[in-house]
Amino acid sequence: MSEKYSAEMIFQPKSYPVYTYVDRSLGNSTYEKRMKRAIRTPGNLVVVSGASKSGKTVLCHRVVAEHEIVDLSGSQIREADDFWEQIAEKLELPTEIQITENEGVSAKTSTKGEGKVSVGISAGLSRQTEKEHTAGNSIAKKSLRNNTQMMRSLIQEDKVLVIDDFQYIEPEVQQYIARTLKTELFHGLKAVILTLPHRSDDAIRLNPDLIGRTTVIDIAPWSLDELKKIAEKGFALLSFPITPDDIETLARESIASPQLMQENCLSLAEEAKEESASDVTAGLLQRAFAMTATNYEYYKQPLQAALKGPAQGRKQRKKYALDQGQHVDGYKLLLLSISKDPPELSFSVEEIKQRILDLLADSPGAALSTLYISNIVNHIEKSFQKSLPQLDTIEWKDKTLYILDPFLLFYLRWDTDWKG
């Protein structure tokens, strides 16, 4: 291993990957170039859509300089006031300022609450006076924070407003924000919304005036070749020998997720260092994947709830014999089937049936009924929705099971406790 770099420096699953960033192609261009051009276009709202942890936030921080970005979290916006509070916190604006004027010639500004005040904000706020008193030739005025002036500050200081996880905001608040953005985009505001693919039209649907004023950039699932570049760059810097086949395995198990790829590479590097390994073995890779799976223990309880199934009363569920000697019910059988090789993010009902057949030691009988499978998947979907209301995990649509959360699938594949 290199002494110049540490694995933690090279592989960054939770933050911006300085050394292993991959500039992905988009047709004849790249995502970076497309986004830079969209942000530069006056009056244009930029919507970046992609699966969870597909690199939307990293792309933003690559394109927009750190001192220019004002990023908000949609999961923390419950009402309109939360939108403004987050902007004020990012701009470090106080809730109240005090202007002291001497003989109408000079003024001194003081603030109440933590934060810094730009000249533009102070001037704007001084126009809305809450209290005023005089002392000799001095006049002190107290003024409240002004939403309009916050937007003016964003525009004047050439900031880029980024709203992450827009899909978590309630529709009425989304509509309010969309209307606000439409007005301020006309005056020069730069704004970016990050959301999921099936929610990319929320802002436009709630405010049709944004039609023709929005650029939608869809982040495609990462290919194996793109994921492999993360490992190729990182392990080269670490001077750690790794074969193309091992890199292929890392990419395949990362299930189109750059964050999972970063985590798996980090786990492998850490395991190799602890074991003083000079090369990669199948066992080392398996231990690395198991190590990554421990980072997703929050799926444990929701998974147990899904495996439990609905209340049965006195009737016992049918058990199915597996090749390995286990006897499991339909709920566990279905989850085991989707956790099999190879990892996939969607399964038609026929593909599920074939995977179940591959697991069973005996004739499946009702296990291959489309209605039976549909009922089980519907229950598991509802169970996950109840246990993880803020996450899009799985969806059963048109007799196809979609895995919306690659981290859940990775956990199903590499956590062994639930399979016993």
Side-chain angles (χ1 to χ4, degrees):
M1 286 281 188
S2 168
E3 294 183 1
K4 182 178 180 181
Y5 302 103
S6 67
E8 295 81 5
M9 289 171 59
I10 299 300
F11 299 115
Q12 295 275 336
K14 311 296 186 191
S15 58
Y16 180 76
V18 176
Y19 297 100
T20 50
Y21 177 82
V22 176
D23 187 12
R24 302 175 64 202
S25 297
L26 180 63
N28 296 323
S29 185
T30 66
Y31 284 104
E32 274 188 50
K33 290 178 182 177
R34 175 82 187 281
M35 189 168 180
K36 285 178 181 177
R37 189 179 300 118
I39 291 175
R40 285 198 305 263
T41 303
N44 190 49
L45 174 65
V46 183
V47 177
V48 182
S49 73
S52 177
K53 307 299 187 297
S54 60
K56 301 186 294 292
T57 304
V58 168
L59 176 64
C60 269
H61 283 266
R62 177 74 174 188
V63 170
V64 184
E66 198 64 30
H67 67 277
E68 294 177 348
I69 196 167
V70 176
D71 49 347
L72 315 183
S73 172
S75 62
Q76 302 300 316
I77 299 176
R78 295 285 180 265
E79 52 189 39
D81 285 347
D82 297 331
F83 171 70
W84 296 108
E85 284 296 327
Q86 283 199 50
I87 294 176
E89 287 175 10
K90 295 292 182 177
L91 294 175
E92 298 183 318
L93 301 179
T95 55
E96 183 181 278
I97 70 168
Q98 179 171 299
I99 311 292
T100 303
E101 297 179 350
N102 293 316
E103 297 182 345
V105 176
S106 62
K108 179 181 179 182
T109 302
S110 62
T111 66
K112 180 178 180 180
E114 297 181 357
K116 301 175 183 177
V117 185
S118 68
V119 173
I121 288 286
S122 298
L125 288 171
S126 66
R127 298 189 189 102
Q128 290 196 357
T129 303
E130 183 185 59
K131 296 179 181 178
E132 179 178 320
H133 67 271
T134 60
N137 293 328
S138 298
I139 300 176
K141 300 179 181 180
K142 292 184 178 180
S143 301
L144 297 177
R145 193 166 58 206
N146 182 304
N147 293 344
T148 300
Q149 282 304 315
M150 276 192 271
M151 282 295 173
R152 293 287 78 77
S153 180
L154 289 172
I155 295 168
Q156 291 167 12
E157 296 177 23
D158 203 29
K159 301 289 188 183
V160 179
L161 182 65
V162 177
I163 308 174
D164 202 352
D165 291 328
F166 192 72
Q167 72 275 5
Y168 290 144
I169 304 174
E170 292 296 326
E172 61 271 17
V173 182
Q174 283 185 339
Q175 185 175 50
Y176 171 82
I177 292 173
R179 288 174 176 170
T180 301
L181 293 180
K182 182 259 177 182
T183 300
E184 299 303 334
L185 286 166
F186 181 80
H187 293 110
L189 178 69
K190 296 176 180 178
V192 179
I193 285 174
L194 309 183
T195 189
L196 295 175
H198 60 291
R199 301 291 297 276
S200 60
D201 64 343
D202 281 356
I204 299 172
R205 180 171 47 79
L206 293 166
N207 189 354
D209 286 343
L210 288 171
I211 295 174
R213 303 176 184 181
T214 303
T215 295
V216 178
I217 302 174
D218 293 318
I219 305 294
W222 284 58
S223 68
L224 284 178
D225 286 341
E226 289 170 331
L227 291 174
K228 286 192 285 188
K229 289 177 183 178
I230 294 173
E232 290 165 354
K233 287 184 173 186
F235 286 110
L237 289 171
L238 291 174
S239 300
F240 183 73
I242 183 168
T243 68
D245 285 347
D246 293 330
I247 291 177
E248 178 97 12
T249 300
L250 282 167
R252 186 181 67 250
E253 290 299 333
S254 295
I255 317 173
S257 168
Q259 180 171 321
L260 266 177
M261 187 65 176
Q262 293 278 350
E263 286 193 87
N264 284 328
C265 289
L266 177 59
S267 294
L268 178 60
E270 289 179 335
E271 286 291 310
K273 183 177 180 181
E274 286 182 11
E275 298 179 18
S276 299
S278 57
D279 58 3
V280 178
T281 64
L284 185 62
L285 276 170
Q286 290 173 3
R287 290 190 291 278
F289 294 141
M291 183 180 182
T292 298
T294 62
N295 296 331
Y296 296 95
E297 287 291 315
Y298 56 77
Y299 288 119
K300 183 182 286 285
Q301 293 303 320
L303 178 56
Q304 290 301 319
L307 286 167
K308 186 177 180 181
Q312 281 294 108
R314 296 181 180 179
K315 187 178 179 181
Q316 295 294 316
R317 290 200 187 100
K318 181 176 179 179
K319 298 284 187 177
Y320 300 91
L322 306 184
D323 273 337
Q324 298 177 340
Q326 272 184 298
H327 287 76
V328 301
D329 66 12
Y331 295 89
K332 190 166 186 176
L333 180 61
L334 186 131
L335 288 168
L336 284 170
S337 75
I338 65 175
S339 71
K340 276 172 46 65
D341 286 333
E344 300 287 352
L345 289 173
S346 66
F347 307 91
S348 69
V349 70
E350 295 305 319
E351 289 170 333
I352 293 174
K353 289 178 181 181
Q354 185 57 56
R355 285 188 169 225
I356 289 175
L357 271 175
D358 293 342
L359 287 171
L360 294 176
D362 303 320
S363 173
L368 290 188
S369 158
T370 298
L371 178 60
Y372 181 77
I373 290 173
S374 181
N375 287 339
I376 288 178
V377 175
N378 279 323
H379 166 76
I380 292 174
E381 180 181 7
K382 290 176 182 177
S383 179
F384 279 134
Q385 287 174 346
K386 182 178 179 180
S387 300
L388 301 165
Q390 293 296 322
L391 285 179
D392 291 296
T393 52
I394 68 172
E395 182 179 17
W396 179 247
K397 184 178 180 182
D398 298 328
K399 296 181 181 179
T400 299
L401 174 59
Y402 296 95
I403 310 296
L404 306 178
D405 183 356
F407 302 95
L408 172 61
L409 180 57
F410 183 85
Y411 184 78
L412 288 173
R413 286 178 59 75
W414 290 101
D415 179 77
T416 57
D417 291 345
W418 74 274
K419 297 179 182 179

